[in-house]
Amino acid sequence: MGKKSNVETLLAQAGHYLDKESGSVVPPIQPSTTFARNEQGDLYNSNRIYARDQSVNAEMAEAILCELEEGASCKIFASGMAAATALVQTLRPGDRIVAPTVMYWSLRAWLIDFCDDWNIKLAFYDPRNEADMVAVVKAAPTEILWIETPANPTWEVVDIQRAVDLAHSVGAQLVADSTVSTPLITKPIEYGADFVFHSATKYINGHSDVVAGALIAAKEDARWERLCKVRAQQGGILGPFESWLLLRGMRTMHIRVERACENAMKLAQYFEGLSGVKEVIYPGLASHANHEVAAKQMTGGFGGMLSIRFEGGKEKTAAIMGRMKRFVRATSLGGVESLVEHRALVEGEGTPVPDDLLRFSIGIENIQDLIDDLEQAIRG
Ligand SMILES: *Cc1c(COP(=O)(O)O)cnc(C)c1O
């Protein structure tokens, strides 16, 4: 022994939890909002005063996520958006953030409004074009370069190492939205990322029953200190019960992610080239524009997300979705159940997503059931 245990062991045992007093192998939910002092006025636990700053259950999940990403510190939030917006709020008026044109839709919409209101410079780059990223980042002094890889819903894979080198060459910090990769497939900090972002609502929890977000810092620098203050003062914290559920969901993350990757690959391979199918977009396919980068940095599989474009345009595509019986027609991703969504219709006007595209979040069901369902829907 002596050596740290591997991630599968860490996850399955919820950080090797064991309550020596009761012998319980499952942690209790600790709802206390306040923490007491002794007769001298000293806190019993010097780390905790009040639950908006410190939470027993949140800290358990944070410790595991921090270790998974090999970071220095982790904070979880009431949602992915709460985490992402808190990080952007560490910028000051006049600072500049550079983000991709293809990224999580609600975050993009919020960035546009927020940066305009608070005089933060915002510029977008095309994640399909590295030269464009370089040009946009170098066009003006920049504090944060945001990447999302693979990016929703067309799964562009950004070379994290190259993005880090670019950001650092101009004194900017790099944030990687690694929600779709999960900490089991890619660890952005290994490539030098300064911050990793996750919507923990997705694969980390994995059961479509908790909304949560996480940020992991490579080091506890001045921006991280500001970030911790933003969370403590604005209060976008995750409650004890949700934190407890998150920890419980994480116990099986490695098994869920492995099966989702396996299922997604089989489904992508089966439908690529089939009649009625225009294009299967999945980083694991050799035909994917960024397959080489994906093969290099997605070391634990190519993820459970893929999109398919169909012949016959918007109406035919909507009809295919309507005929699906096992896939659930719903937004979100990363749960154990497979979901399908017509993104262009959901995003509405101004969306860059083609209207003949369906986005699939592949779950852990029997793969033949999923293939049969999509095939019957395509055949009509
Ligand atoms: C869901 C998601 C978010 C936002 O997270 P919430 O938990 O829904 O607030 C951000 N980025 C990506 C890639 C997501 O999938």
Side-chain angles (χ1 to χ4, degrees), residues 22-48:
S22 69
S24 69
V25 298
V26 174
I29 299 172
Q30 179 47 266
S32 186
T33 56
T34 189
F35 299 94
R37 295 173 188 272
N38 65 16
E39 294 83 348
Q40 286 73 43
D42 298 325
L43 288 157
Y44 283 96
N45 178 322
S46 59
N47 293 322
R48 297 192 195 101

Side-chain angles (χ1 to χ4, degrees), residues 14-82:
H16 319 297
Y17 181 83
L18 175 69
D19 179 23
K20 295 231 168 66
E21 222 167 276
S22 69
S24 69
V25 298
V26 174
I29 299 172
Q30 179 47 266
S32 186
T33 56
T34 189
F35 299 94
R37 295 173 188 272
N38 65 16
E39 294 83 348
Q40 286 73 43
D42 298 325
L43 288 157
Y44 283 96
N45 178 322
S46 59
N47 293 322
R48 297 192 195 101
I49 299 171
Y50 183 59
R52 181 160 30 70
D53 281 14
Q54 304 100 2
S55 147
V56 179
N57 291 101
E59 284 165 19
M60 286 183 192
E62 287 167 351
I64 294 176
L65 286 171
C66 194
E67 195 168 332
L68 281 185
E69 290 288 7
E70 295 180 37
S73 182
C74 169
K75 292 283 176 195
I76 60 174
F77 290 77
S79 68
M81 284 297 288

Side-chain angles (χ1 to χ4, degrees), residues 2 16 27 44 92 99 122 131 145 176-177 202 205 214 230 279 297-298 305 331 334 344 368:
H16 319 297
Y44 283 96
R92 294 190 165 94
L122 169 67
L145 170 58
D177 180 342
K202 315 296 167 55
N205 181 61
V230 171
E279 188 186 2
Q297 79 189 23
M298 298 182 80
M305 296 304 298
T331 195
Q368 199 56 47

Side-chain angles (χ1 to χ4, degrees), residues 79-81 104 148 152 177 179-180 197 199 201-202 211-212 333:
S79 68
M81 284 297 288
Y104 185 70
E148 180 178 320
N152 238 312
D177 180 342
T179 299
V180 170
F197 164 83
S199 166
T201 312
K202 315 296 167 55
V211 174
L333 59 101

